[in-house]
Amino acid sequence: MFFIFSVVFIWFPEVISSAVVTLDSIEINKTHDWLRSEPTVYFHCKEENKTDLPDVKKVHVVYNFKGEESWQPLTEFLTRRCKRCGLYEKDTIKSDYVFDEWEFCPSDFTTPDGRYIRFKDKEFNATFLCQECVPQGNNVSSNASSSHSGGNGESGGHGENGMFWVIIVVISVFASTVFVVGLISGYKYWQKRKRQQEQARFLKLFEDADDIEDELGIGPLSSSI
Ligand SMILES: *[C@@H]1O[C@H](CO)[C@@H](O)[C@H](O)[C@H]1NC(C)=O
Ligand SMILES: *[C@@H]1O[C@H](CO)[C@@H](O)[C@H](O)[C@H]1NC(C)=O
């Protein structure tokens, strides 16, 4: 286990299993498009699809979400790498208004329940939720390895939820490989054995034939009779 663990960390230090980010709550303090009666607010990460927030229409109203809405989740982290994401409002004439644009990172989710509050004065206050982003060592304090969880950030990365699945996958791949290799060598060995046996039987046949010929005192040419 320890060996596999080490190998995984040397090879894939930044892999986490998919960590889904949902919007927990949002409040906007301003709208910008004078032509629309209701704003169209959306969340967008670079190279991903836009996510419209269909409910967010009024300023100074806190919208709380369950995380199960049709437009959730907002995005997903596949590695510990940050994404360039932002909150925008569609604009009929000009380019879309940018509430905020920032580097959105799995390490932002520092509370034990995996919350991250993004607040910009006079603009918005949004709470994002990503439980899988939280290093496991932070909320499992009774764990035997908790002595290593003191430092946040890099060293905290060892205990992610995702790590468990990575290890499972690696072990499965390893076990399957061993199984397949074993199967192939077994089959090859069996083939070799079979060939040897056949050869032995073949030789024995000749010997037997010779014996019979000797006994009957006939030559090989007349043995077909
Ligand atoms: C973006 O949306 C398109 C069409 O709605 C869909 O085919 C595609 O898979 C989406 N891409 C991502 C990254 O979600
Ligand atoms: C932002 O929203 C969160 C959750 O609703 C709340 O706990 C926090 O106090 C708010 N922050 C500000 C500065 O309004």
Side-chain angles (χ1 to χ4, degrees):
M1 267 313 270
F2 180 76
F3 172 74
I4 290 166
F5 218 88
S6 320
V7 167
V8 165
F9 271 104
I10 290 161
W11 286 352
F12 315 102
E14 55 176 28
V15 175
I16 51 178
S17 81
S18 66
V20 164
V21 179
T22 56
L23 184 64
D24 189 49
S25 73
I26 191 167
E27 174 183 359
I28 53 171
N29 297 331
K30 221 197 225 173
T31 61
H32 307 85
D33 190 350
W34 302 99
L35 292 179
R36 288 185 203 227
S37 55
E38 290 181 330
T40 303
V41 179
Y42 67 91
F43 176 88
H44 179 226
C45 290
K46 236 177 198 162
E47 284 150 25
E48 288 182 16
N49 287 341
K50 293 174 181 174
T51 308
D52 281 344
L53 309 177
D55 304 309
V56 182
K57 297 295 175 197
K58 294 201 173 81
V59 294
H60 302 303
V61 173
V62 179
Y63 294 92
N64 287 299
F65 302 107
K66 282 193 272 189
E68 298 159 353
E69 289 78 11
S70 57
W71 44 267
Q72 300 261 37
L74 291 182
T75 184
E76 200 175 346
F77 287 113
L78 298 174
T79 67
R80 298 218 60 91
R81 198 176 286 275
C82 304
K83 292 182 182 192
R84 190 82 194 158
C85 299
L87 197 67
Y88 310 85
E89 184 190 330
K90 283 211 177 97
D91 198 297
T92 23
I93 304 168
K94 300 176 278 142
S95 55
D96 292 356
Y97 179 79
V98 181
F99 280 103
D100 197 9
E101 206 175 71
W102 72 95
E103 289 287 320
F104 202 23
C105 308
S107 58
D108 289 335
F109 296 86
T110 48
T111 67
D113 56 351
R115 258 164 237 278
Y116 167 56
I117 296 175
R118 183 86 193 170
F119 172 73
K120 203 171 167 190
D121 197 23
K122 301 203 182 78
E123 297 276 357
F124 73 97
N125 176 9
T127 311
F128 299 93
L129 198 60
C130 174
Q131 269 148 1
E132 291 105 333
C133 293
V134 182
Q136 226 173 31
N138 280 6
N139 53 7
V140 187
S141 50
S142 61
N143 195 307
S145 65
S146 63
S147 54
H148 300 294
S149 67
N152 277 338
E154 292 309 300
S155 69
H158 283 246
E160 292 121 12
N161 240 346
M163 223 48 245
F164 173 68
W165 291 108
V166 171
I167 289 162
I168 294 291
V169 167
V170 168
I171 291 173
S172 312
V173 168
F174 187 72
S176 324
T177 310
V178 167
F179 180 71
V180 168
V181 166
L183 215 62
I184 290 172
S185 357
Y187 179 68
K188 285 212 164 139
Y189 179 68
W190 176 76
Q191 261 188 335
K192 199 171 148 200
R193 271 297 294 265
K194 208 174 145 210
R195 217 177 306 126
Q196 279 173 347
Q197 276 174 353
E198 261 165 14
Q199 261 168 6
R201 210 174 320 135
F202 200 59
L203 287 175
K204 195 151 176 292
L205 217 64
F206 268 100
E207 276 167 21
D208 288 348
D210 282 346
D211 287 347
I212 291 166
E213 278 162 19
D214 286 346
E215 274 170 28
L216 297 177
I218 49 176
L221 287 175
S222 53
S223 64
S224 60
I225 299 167

